[in-house]
Amino acid sequence: PTDLEPTPTNLDPTPTNLEPTPTDLDPKPYFIPDNARIAPETIATDTACKRDKTCPLSNFKDLDPLFWYHDGIHYCLEQKLMNGIGDDYFSPGGNTTRGMAMTILARMAGIEVDGIGAEWYKKGLDWAVLEGISDGTMPEGYITREQFATMVYRYAQKQGQGFKGSWMFLLK
């Protein structure tokens, strides 16, 4: 199956450098409402994370354990689904590539995908193609929401979830 349809968003040139840019490293590369930071005294005491130096978010220069995204990123780091973009940066407001998405889904499936070098995503890509999750094209290109939704849906189908069978609409 193919997950690329020729739309203006995926015809843009594929990025060749995934190193953090000054925009990626800016702690506010996107709109953050004034109430995005949580007051320490309002954090529920029943959570295991103290949101201090023991929190996995504290290992990244561009993450704040008191921001609204804490629980989601903490989960992804703890479950080893994501590990940042390198050099102690996570890039919370950065773009996601197709290679990143394939790697995250492979990790969710329990596949060992750790790789080194220019094609760090190769094991995740190979798994995604073999399982029919992705066609494996443009791994360094940014993923659109529709492409990611398609990959997640195909992954869910492999787990026995989602719609089953074929769909058709009769035209009268």
Side-chain angles (χ1 to χ4, degrees), residues 49-159:
C49 182
K50 297 176 184 170
R51 297 181 187 233
D52 60 9
K53 291 190 186 291
T54 63
C55 175
L57 277 72
S58 68
N59 296 322
F60 296 91
K61 297 173 185 172
D62 59 349
L63 292 180
D64 183 336
L66 297 178
F67 266 40
W68 63 269
Y69 52 62
H70 170 271
D71 292 350
I73 294 177
H74 184 122
Y75 176 83
C76 288
L77 293 171
E78 193 171 67
Q79 299 299 313
K80 299 186 183 343
L81 301 177
M82 302 173 85
N83 57 17
I85 61 167
D87 296 326
D88 302 325
Y89 287 98
F90 189 87
S91 189
N95 292 314
T96 300
T97 66
R98 294 169 55 79
M100 290 174 181
M102 289 181 253
T103 300
I104 291 167
L105 292 172
R107 287 177 176 151
M108 287 175 64
I111 305 301
E112 172 57 48
V113 294
D114 291 339
I116 302 172
E119 290 190 3
W120 54 267
Y121 51 77
K122 180 149 179 37
K123 292 178 184 176
L125 181 147
D126 290 345
W127 169 84
V129 170
L130 180 69
E131 292 294 318
I133 305 295
S134 172
D135 61 7
T137 58
M138 294 175 49
E140 293 180 6
Y142 297 132
I143 191 165
T144 65
R145 293 168 54 90
E146 65 193 338
Q147 292 166 359
F148 188 62
T150 299
M151 286 186 198
V152 169
Y153 179 69
R154 290 177 183 160
Y155 172 79
Q157 282 184 311
K158 296 291 181 182
Q159 306 303 310

